[in-house]
């Protein structure tokens, strides 16, 4: 299958080695896309690397692999996150898009891929309000143009003890937040997912409080690693992964990364997320990936990497902040992470 051979590079020496676009894309397609990607590449690649004080990422576009035209290709720009990806392989597209948590479509891992086709992702608006000088409602087309798209390869670690490595396409959430001019009272950011029982059969059952609500502290939300994602594997997000836009906070357990977001509220008080409301002792507000703080019902010291050897493959040790400690550790300096789990 093409995904395994063309899009699952291993990085034996360092996390910074990526395949060149011509290695993963047929030359004709690459040549076609090269020109229009070039402009985007120059704007986009510096963003994350610059903000983190790293050498600029390759200013080179990576053309999306054609997938029979099912989903629209998104322009993407390769960017790098040092340290995070050494010895990691991309999780095959198949696993990323068929093994999902999206309770609005049911609680089985296969429900979202089977049922999320009823989600209507256009037209779509995102409302941003609360403690801001400039509340705004943005349409999807405005959002797609708001900042240059980057490709970000991140680990995703679910609180349930499995993980994936996913090439997202999007830009830092901070680009959106800066536009609305947060007031001095804005201390936290709250994210609301769509909750429409007509499109989302899972919303008819009371497994969670709907809408799905998540939250971040303001400095976490403004951190350059915090991504608003519109795509993965170079294409628009499949519905089951949270189309048309979802959050990705790679150093926190996956449930912090809310899908199919319709509203962002800047608030003064710590938000109560749907999972915290459901089981406060099990799912805290911070939920930073931490191998030393176990879930009350299971260990968090290791994880099962999807797409690598099946259920009985050896588990991988889980890393502090999911491997992003160098980037985000200072956000929690002096905090007791057992207390603030
Ligand atoms: N709205 C909403 N967002 C959600 C969820 C959900 O059920 N509803 N599940 C979360 C959990 S538990 C995980 S692990 C990730 C999974 O993202 P993925 O399916 O794209 O891998 O989405 C998170 N975001
Ligand atoms: Mo999760």
């Amino acid at each position: 299958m093409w995904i395994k051979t063309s899009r699952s590079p291993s990085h034996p020496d360092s996390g910074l080695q990526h395949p060149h676009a011509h290695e993963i894309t047929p030359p004709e397609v690459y040549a076609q896309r090269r020109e229009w990607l070039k402009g985007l590449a120059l704007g986009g690649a510096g963003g994350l690397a610059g903000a983190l004080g790293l050498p600029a990422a390759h200013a080179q576009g990576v053309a999306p692999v054609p997938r029979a035209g099912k989903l629209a290709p998104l322009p993407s720009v390769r960017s790098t996150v040092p340290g995070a990806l050494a010895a990691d392989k991309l999780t095959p597209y198949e696993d990323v898009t068929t093994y999902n948590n999206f309770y609005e479509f049911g609680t089985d891992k296969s429900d979202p891929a089977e049922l999320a086709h009823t989600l209507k992702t256009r037209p779509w608006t995102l409302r941003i309000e609360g403690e801001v000088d400039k509340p705004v409602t943005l349409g999807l087309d405005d959002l797609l143009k708001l900042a240059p798209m980057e490709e970000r390869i991140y680990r995703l670690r679910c609180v349930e003890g499995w993980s994936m490595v996913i090439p997202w396409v999007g830009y830092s959430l901070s680009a959106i937040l800066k536009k609305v001019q947060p007031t001095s009272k804005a201390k936290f950011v709250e994210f609301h997912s769509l909750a429409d029982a007509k499109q989302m059969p899972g919303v008819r059952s009371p497994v969670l409080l709907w809408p799905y609500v998540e939250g971040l502290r303001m400095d976490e939300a403004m951190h350059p690693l915090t991504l608003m994602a519109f795509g993965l594997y170079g294409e628009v997000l499949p519905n089951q992964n949270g189309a048309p836009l979802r959050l990705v906070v790679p150093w926190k357990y996956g449930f912090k990364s809310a899908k199919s977001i319709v509203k962002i509220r800047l608030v003064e008080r710590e938000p109560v997320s749907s999972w915290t409301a459901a089981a406060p002792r099990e799912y805290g507000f911070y939920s930073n990936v931490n191998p030393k703080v176990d879930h009350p019902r299971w260990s968090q010291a290791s994880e099962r990497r999807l797409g690598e050897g099946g259920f009985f493959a050896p588990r991988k040790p889980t890393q502090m902040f999911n491997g992003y400690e160098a980037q985000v550790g200072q956000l929690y300096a002096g905090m007791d992470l057992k207390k603030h789990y």
Side-chain angles (χ1 to χ4, degrees), residues 187-199:
K187 303 281 192 259
F188 296 91
V189 187
E190 200 174 284
F191 304 89
H192 295 224
S193 298
L194 181 71
D196 179 0
K198 289 200 291 289
Q199 306 177 53

Side-chain angles (χ1 to χ4, degrees), residues 3-322:
I3 293 162
K4 279 218 169 78
T5 54
S6 63
R7 295 302 302 258
S8 299
S10 57
H11 310 296
D13 304 314
S14 100
L16 303 183
Q17 298 302 310
H18 294 290
H20 287 289
H22 61 79
E23 293 176 299
I24 58 175
T25 309
E28 325 80 69
V29 178
Y30 178 68
Q32 270 170 23
R33 298 203 179 281
R34 202 190 158 107
E35 283 309 305
W36 66 272
L37 279 166
K38 230 192 284 176
L40 292 156
L42 295 174
L48 175 71
L52 294 172
L54 311 166
H58 327 281
Q60 181 180 40
V62 175
V65 174
R67 294 191 55 82
K70 243 182 78 204
L71 293 163
L74 276 172
S76 67
V77 173
R78 185 72 74 181
S79 89
T80 56
V81 182
L85 290 157
D88 276 336
K89 293 190 178 90
L90 295 187
T91 302
Y93 184 91
E94 224 66 10
D95 295 287
V96 173
T97 57
T98 59
Y99 187 94
N100 302 99
N101 276 331
F102 199 170
Y103 277 22
E104 286 86 337
F105 292 98
T107 54
D108 284 354
K109 295 288 182 281
S110 57
D111 285 338
E114 278 168 30
L115 302 173
H117 57 90
T118 52
L119 175 65
K120 203 166 160 261
T121 58
R122 266 180 195 272
W124 190 277
T125 55
L126 172 67
R127 174 72 185 164
I128 310 165
E129 59 181 33
E131 290 297 342
V132 297
D133 284 334
K134 299 194 161 160
V136 69
T137 303
L138 294 168
L140 186 55
D141 290 318
D142 303 325
L143 287 159
L144 288 168
K145 287 186 300 217
L146 190 137
M149 292 283 171
E150 299 170 40
E151 181 161 86
R152 304 263 190 98
I153 299 171
Y154 284 163
R155 293 201 186 90
L156 175 87
R157 168 63 155 82
C158 178
V159 73
E160 297 164 343
W162 51 264
S163 62
M164 306 200 203
V165 180
I166 303 176
W168 302 103
V169 182
Y171 50 73
S172 294
L173 173 68
S174 64
I176 297 180
L177 297 180
K178 281 175 194 156
K179 288 253 188 265
V180 295
Q181 298 181 10
T183 72
S184 59
K185 283 188 180 164
K187 303 281 192 259
F188 296 91
V189 187
E190 200 174 284
F191 304 89
H192 295 224
S193 298
L194 181 71
D196 179 0
K198 289 200 291 289
Q199 306 177 53
M200 304 168 131
V203 170
R204 291 172 213 147
S205 62
V207 277
L208 281 177
L209 270 187
W210 309 114
Y212 192 98
V213 170
E214 258 311 331
L216 295 172
R217 215 169 57 188
M218 194 64 188
D219 57 347
E220 299 174 325
M222 293 299 287
H223 193 282
L225 282 183
T226 301
L227 187 72
M228 191 56 97
F230 298 86
L232 58 78
Y233 269 104
E235 301 175 340
V236 297
L237 283 174
N239 288 356
Q240 57 268 38
N241 294 94
L245 73 159
R246 60 91 54 85
L247 199 64
V248 186
V249 193
W251 71 95
K252 292 178 180 281
Y253 291 118
F255 70 87
K256 297 296 291 181
S257 296
K259 294 177 165 180
S260 304
I261 296 172
V262 289
K263 199 196 282 184
I264 297 179
R265 285 185 62 76
L266 285 85
V267 294
E268 210 175 343
R269 301 256 183 91
E270 188 177 288
V272 179
S273 69
S274 294
W275 276 109
T276 306
R281 282 193 55 254
E282 305 193 5
Y283 309 104
F285 175 75
Y286 283 95
S287 286
N288 292 310
V289 175
N290 189 336
K292 287 181 283 204
V293 176
D294 287 338
H295 186 278
R297 291 184 280 132
W298 58 84
S299 163
Q300 293 292 26
S302 69
E303 63 202 54
R304 178 169 66 93
R305 179 64 52 83
L306 262 88
E308 293 182 25
F311 197 79
F312 298 103
R315 294 171 69 88
K316 289 180 185 288
T318 288
Q319 298 183 62
M320 189 63 201
F321 297 113
N322 206 21

